[in-house]
Amino acid sequence: MSTALYDDVSSGVLRRMKEGGFDFASFHPIEFYAIFPDEERARMATRNFRGESLHALVTERDDGAWHLQVSKVMYATHAGIGDFEHDLESVVIPLGGTLDGWGVTQEVKASRP
């Protein structure tokens, strides 16, 4: 998948987040996803994503492939997300994996009656 397509998808998601009242002024754990054909390669990728604001998790999928989830605490900006996706892609692609998008949980504030 080309970087231009990721930019288009990210722009759309960020626009919908803004319309939904997302708090862009705060740090959030943003989840980035990749898929690998086997556990060994997925675990090899995790070695590149360790640190105070990073967490990596590898799980098996129902179809036998392996899912890598890298959580990075950061501001939800187009540039920041794009930069991290580029870094992730540079690790994932040589190991035979593919990127599978990103996401963030948006807190919904209860409205007062």
Side-chain angles (χ1 to χ4, degrees):
M1 190 177 290
S2 75
T3 304
L5 181 55
Y6 285 128
D7 286 344
D8 290 346
V9 170
S10 290
S11 293
V13 170
L14 289 165
R15 184 173 47 257
R16 287 189 303 277
M17 288 166 58
K18 183 177 180 180
E19 291 166 356
F22 186 83
D23 178 10
F24 286 95
S26 297
F27 287 108
H28 298 275
I30 300 180
E31 313 296 335
F32 296 86
Y33 307 102
I35 300 170
F36 290 88
D38 57 58
E39 181 180 13
E40 180 181 354
R41 288 186 260 188
R43 295 213 182 274
M44 286 174 65
T46 66
R47 296 182 194 136
N48 294 279
F49 300 103
R50 297 181 193 267
E52 186 174 307
S53 64
L54 291 169
H55 175 71
L57 176 67
V58 173
T59 55
E60 188 173 14
R61 295 172 20 139
D62 291 340
D63 63 2
W66 288 82
H67 190 252
L68 169 64
Q69 175 183 324
V70 179
S71 178
K72 181 174 183 183
V73 177
M74 60 188 285
Y75 288 111
T77 66
H78 190 273
I81 289 167
D83 288 348
F84 193 79
E85 279 185 318
H86 184 277
D87 293 346
L88 182 62
E89 184 176 47
S90 71
V91 171
V92 168
I93 299 301
L95 292 172
T98 57
L99 294 186
D100 195 32
W102 63 271
V104 62
T105 301
Q106 180 170 341
E107 291 183 25
V108 178
K109 298 188 180 185
S111 58
R112 295 187 178 190

